[in-house]
Amino acid sequence: MTWEQVMELNRTAQLRQLMTEYLQQFAMMASRFDGTTDRSAELVTVIDAYSAFITDEANRAAWEQLEQEAGPELARLAEELRRTSARCVSIMEKYRALKLLNGNAARTEYFQNIESCIETEFGSFQISSGSKVLMVGAGSFPMTPLMIARRTDAEVIGIDIDAEAVRLGRKVAELLGSGLRIRLERASVEQLADAGDLTHIIFSSTIAQKYELLDRLHPLTNGRVVAAVRYGDRLKSLFNYPSQQVDARKWKLVDTILRPDHVFDIALYQKA
Ligand SMILES: C[S@@+](CC[C@H](N)C(=O)[O-])C[C@H]1O[C@@H](n2cnc3c(N)ncnc32)[C@H](O)[C@@H]1O
C-alpha cells in the first residue's frame, strides 16, 4: 500500500467516525428537547460545526471516496444522519423563535448561511411586489417568508406540517413582520385556496417529501409558476434531502444554483 493510499484510508475512516459522532450528538439533542431553550447554545454549536463539516472541501473528496467503497450500511448511516440533523434544524428554529419571543435573540452561522441565500434563490425569475410566493416548510422562525415579504413586498404564504412551528412562526411574523403580507398555515398543498395564483414556490431542503409535493402541486398551479427546490447532493446530502429526477411531462429543470460555501443548493423548475 502506498503512502497516499494510507492517507486516503485515514481520511475516509475519519469521515465515517465523524458521521457516527454527529449522529449520536443529534439524536441525543433531539431526544432532550423539552420546549425550553436550556440546551439551545449546545445545539447551535453542533449545528454550526456540522455546517462547516458539510461545506469543507477536504471532506467532499473523502465522502466521494467513501461512497464508492462502502455498502448499504453507509447509506443507512447517511439516511439516519439526514433525518436526525433535519429534526435538529427544526428544533433550532424553535429555540430561535422562543428566544426572540422571550426577548433574547441571537444570530448563528447556520442562519447567516441560509439568510444570505435569499437574494439568489430564484436566479433570473425575480420576485416583485405583484408576486405570490409559497414556502413549503416555513418553520418556527419563518426567515425566508419574512425576508421575501420585507424586501419585495410580495404576498407570502408559508405552510408547515408541524402545528407548533405554525403557532411559533405566526408569533415571530407578528413581531418582526408587522404590516407585511405573510400568512402561515398548517395546510396541505391541496388545501390552499389560492394555489392557482402562485408565481413562485420554495421548498425547504430538509423536507423528505419535497419532490412528491412538487408533483402534487403540478395540477393545482398555473403555467408560469417557478419552483425552487433547495437540495443537497453528495456530501451535502448528509444535511439535506438530495435532488431527484422529475416527471418530464410535468416539470423541467431550468436552472441550478450551486453554492459551494452554503449548506444547500437550489434547483429551479418550470412547467414542461
Ligand atoms: C426547519 S424548517 C426550514 C429549514 C431550512 N430553512 C431549509 O431550507 O431546509 C423545515 C420545516 O419543514 C417542515 N416540514 C417537514 N416536512 C414537511 C412537509 N411534508 N410539509 C410541510 N412542512 C414540512 C418542518 O416541520 C420544519 O418546520
Side-chain angles (χ1 to χ4, degrees):
M1 199 180 257
T2 65
W3 176 243
E4 283 75 22
Q5 283 170 321
V6 173
M7 291 300 288
E8 198 66 62
L9 202 64
N10 278 343
R11 270 197 292 271
T12 54
Q14 257 174 24
L15 186 75
R16 192 193 281 262
Q17 177 62 28
L18 275 172
M19 286 171 65
T20 308
E21 284 171 16
Y22 274 120
L23 176 58
Q24 284 165 352
Q25 292 187 59
F26 284 134
M28 185 185 72
M29 289 186 185
S31 73
R32 285 186 179 171
F33 177 59
D34 61 2
T36 71
T37 58
D38 294 352
R39 296 192 177 86
S40 160
E42 217 180 323
L43 183 58
V44 165
T45 303
V46 179
I47 288 188
D48 284 350
Y50 195 56
S51 301
F53 165 83
I54 289 295
T55 50
D56 184 334
E57 181 79 46
N59 291 336
R60 216 176 298 164
W63 168 256
E64 266 142 48
Q65 184 67 30
L66 184 62
E67 228 185 352
Q68 278 175 18
E69 301 162 358
E73 135 276 339
L74 178 76
R76 273 196 298 277
L77 173 59
E79 169 56 31
E80 271 288 279
L81 195 45
R82 180 160 50 237
R83 198 176 50 75
T84 319
S85 59
R87 165 105 185 92
C88 282
V89 169
S90 295
I91 293 173
M92 190 167 70
E93 288 207 3
K94 287 186 181 166
Y95 284 144
R96 193 187 190 191
L98 290 166
K99 283 186 145 189
L100 178 86
L101 299 170
N102 298 335
N104 182 15
R107 285 172 77 85
T108 83
E109 292 288 326
Y110 176 84
F111 284 118
Q112 284 168 25
N113 196 312
I114 297 267
E115 284 166 6
S116 65
C117 116
I118 286 161
E119 243 86 67
T120 53
E121 188 103 42
F122 280 99
S124 53
F125 303 95
Q126 286 304 309
I127 298 172
S128 65
S129 60
S131 305
K132 189 175 235 186
V133 184
L134 171 68
M135 169 98 200
V136 183
S140 304
F141 198 99
M143 54 205 148
T144 301
L146 277 163
M147 300 217 29
I148 291 174
R150 190 179 317 135
R151 291 198 189 159
T152 67
D153 208 25
E155 182 179 347
V156 187
I157 305 156
I159 58 171
D160 205 291
I161 42 166
D162 177 353
E164 193 193 8
V166 174
R167 187 180 61 77
L168 287 170
R170 282 180 179 159
K171 288 191 179 165
V172 170
E174 252 167 54
L175 199 68
L176 299 182
S178 125
L180 299 178
R181 294 191 295 158
I182 299 180
R183 197 172 92 217
L184 298 172
E185 291 178 17
R186 183 169 184 258
S188 69
V189 293
E190 285 80 9
Q191 287 168 328
L192 288 171
D194 38 8
D197 304 333
L198 295 172
T199 57
H200 298 76
I201 306 171
I202 306 176
F203 291 90
S204 276
S205 183
T206 50
I207 295 186
Q209 308 80 4
K210 59 195 172 190
Y211 277 91
E212 182 206 314
L213 294 171
L214 177 67
D215 196 74
R216 278 164 49 193
L217 274 160
H218 186 272
L220 307 172
T221 47
N222 67 62
R224 294 169 313 284
V225 71
V226 184
V229 179
R230 296 175 174 179
Y231 74 96
D233 287 345
R234 295 176 286 280
L235 180 64
K236 289 186 182 182
S237 73
L238 300 183
F239 205 12
N240 301 277
Y241 285 89
S243 61
Q244 288 178 21
Q245 289 294 325
V246 286
D247 183 338
R249 291 163 305 178
K250 296 181 180 169
W251 295 102
K252 66 170 188 280
L253 181 68
V254 288
D255 201 0
T256 305
I257 302 165
L258 294 176
R259 308 147 72 246
D261 301 329
H262 291 71
V263 283
F264 58 75
D265 300 305
I266 299 158
L268 291 181
Y269 299 90
Q270 280 191 304
K271 289 206 168 163

